[in-house]
Amino acid sequence: MNTNATLVLDFEKNIVEIEAKIEGLKMLAKDEDVDIAHEVNRLQQKLEKQVRQSYANLTPWQKSQVARHPDRPHCLDYVHALIEDFTPLCGDRLFADDEAMVGGIGRFKNISVVVLGQEKGHDLETRMKHNFGMAKPEGYRKAQRLMDLADKFNMPVLAFVDTAGAYPGVEAEARGQAEAIAASIQKCLRIRVPLISIVIGEGGSGGAIAIATANRVLMLENSIYSVISPEGCASILWRSADKVKEATEALCLTAQDLKRFGVIDEIVKEPVGGAHRDPQTTINRVGEALLRNLKELLPLSGEELKKQRTEKFLAMGRNLPE
């Protein structure tokens, strides 16, 4: 487990206290010649039990907090771990390069692929560089350019979704934000190669669906996917930030809700305690899920892939569970 998390969530306080005791004992053992193995083992068992209990029945709001945890692996973490010989491709050939939307070509398990994704960044410098994962129109036009490239050279597309939403600034609207998102969704539906998307943190509004209109849509266990943020929903419906928990419940934004509604195809299980506590295991599980789904899609023809994708999204909402 990662005991160096930079953010402590409210429901994790008991966990952190036990972790601090374990670290304290280890420091004591360095300074004095004492046998701490038995006590550390006891605390380790207590810690594992506490983590399982804390994460067994998370509320939607707690899941939203986990989905946004800054120590979760981000898009580039998956790219660097899973994609060999990754070559970034920049620019939309119209205006600029948007670093909130990263993309390029590489090899995934010896299969040539095009990779897309929103990158939030890990610290202040990289968050500013990537605009907190909120893409502008040039980001979505870059995504369209790379999907065209994938279509031309018959390469599957892997998309890592992690954004609070498209950038809402005036300059983005002036450059055609809505059109860029709509055109990106349309491009997703038209390409004749496998397209697999996975929500690795937040899937926010049109900014997410612009690259998530896919043959297979996966979500990490503690990720969220919704038409609006809980805070935005609370401010519109209740005109109060105090109602954020009620808004989260009403949005049905958890992976479990969306699987039940048929909006997503698969939930990728996270390690006990969330992806931020064991990033490498999370990345490995995502890689396994992507490979399994990709192998199922590769035998299909271009027309079959297009038809499956279109029918999948047309069917949404027709037979919702009670």
Side-chain angles (χ1 to χ4, degrees), residues 8-9 12 18 84 107 114 154 166 189 196 208 214 226 243 246 255 261 271 310 317:
V8 179
L9 303 177
E12 289 187 315
I18 300 171
E84 297 179 55
R107 289 183 295 114
V114 166
N154 196 34
L189 290 169
I196 303 174
S226 65
K243 296 292 185 178
E246 290 86 340
F261 293 144
T310 301

Side-chain angles (χ1 to χ4, degrees), residues 92-219:
D92 64 345
R93 302 296 187 266
L94 292 171
F95 182 76
D97 181 45
D98 186 347
E99 294 196 78
M101 183 76 73
V102 299
I105 57 175
R107 289 183 295 114
F108 172 63
K109 307 298 183 182
N110 292 319
I111 302 169
S112 295
V113 296
V114 166
V115 181
L116 296 172
Q118 289 111 353
E119 172 60 38
K120 284 185 172 181
H122 282 286
D123 53 29
L124 181 59
E125 181 180 355
T126 55
R127 285 170 192 157
M128 294 292 290
K129 174 183 177 181
H130 295 289
N131 199 34
F132 299 87
M134 296 186 293
K136 299 173 184 177
E138 49 269 27
Y140 296 106
R141 291 175 181 137
K142 174 165 69 173
Q144 294 167 48
R145 182 174 75 84
L146 294 184
M147 284 190 274
D148 278 333
L149 181 72
D151 206 23
K152 180 176 181 179
F153 293 101
N154 196 34
M155 293 187 289
V157 179
L158 304 179
F160 296 91
V161 179
D162 191 14
T163 182
Y167 183 65
V170 173
E171 68 270 31
E173 297 297 333
R175 292 200 295 274
Q177 184 73 289
E179 184 279 336
I181 291 172
S184 189
I185 295 171
Q186 184 181 56
K187 186 68 67 178
C188 287
L189 290 169
R190 287 184 173 178
I191 60 176
R192 296 163 54 88
V193 294
L195 171 53
I196 303 174
S197 295
I198 179 165
V199 182
I200 57 175
E202 285 186 276
S205 193
I209 201 171
I211 61 171
T213 311
N215 293 99
R216 301 283 171 86
V217 181
L218 318 180
M219 282 182 74

Side-chain angles (χ1 to χ4, degrees), residues 187-262:
K187 186 68 67 178
C188 287
L189 290 169
R190 287 184 173 178
I191 60 176
R192 296 163 54 88
V193 294
L195 171 53
I196 303 174
S197 295
I198 179 165
V199 182
I200 57 175
E202 285 186 276
S205 193
I209 201 171
I211 61 171
T213 311
N215 293 99
R216 301 283 171 86
V217 181
L218 318 180
M219 282 182 74
L220 279 174
E221 181 182 6
N222 294 314
S223 59
I224 58 174
Y225 191 17
S226 65
V227 69
I228 191 172
S229 70
E231 294 85 353
C233 179
S235 67
I236 292 171
L237 295 184
W238 286 278
R239 300 185 184 279
S240 171
D242 294 337
K243 296 292 185 178
V244 67
K245 293 182 180 179
E246 290 86 340
T248 311
E249 294 276 354
L251 284 168
C252 296
L253 44 63
T254 68
Q256 294 73 25
D257 285 329
L258 295 165
K259 181 69 167 66
R260 180 164 54 92
F261 293 144

Side-chain angles (χ1 to χ4, degrees), residues 189 213-214 262 306-319:
L189 290 169
T213 311
K306 281 181 62 178
K307 182 179 179 181
Q308 182 202 74
R309 207 178 296 131
T310 301
E311 290 180 349
K312 169 187 175 66
F313 283 86
L314 288 175
M316 287 183 185
R318 288 177 179 168
N319 299 298

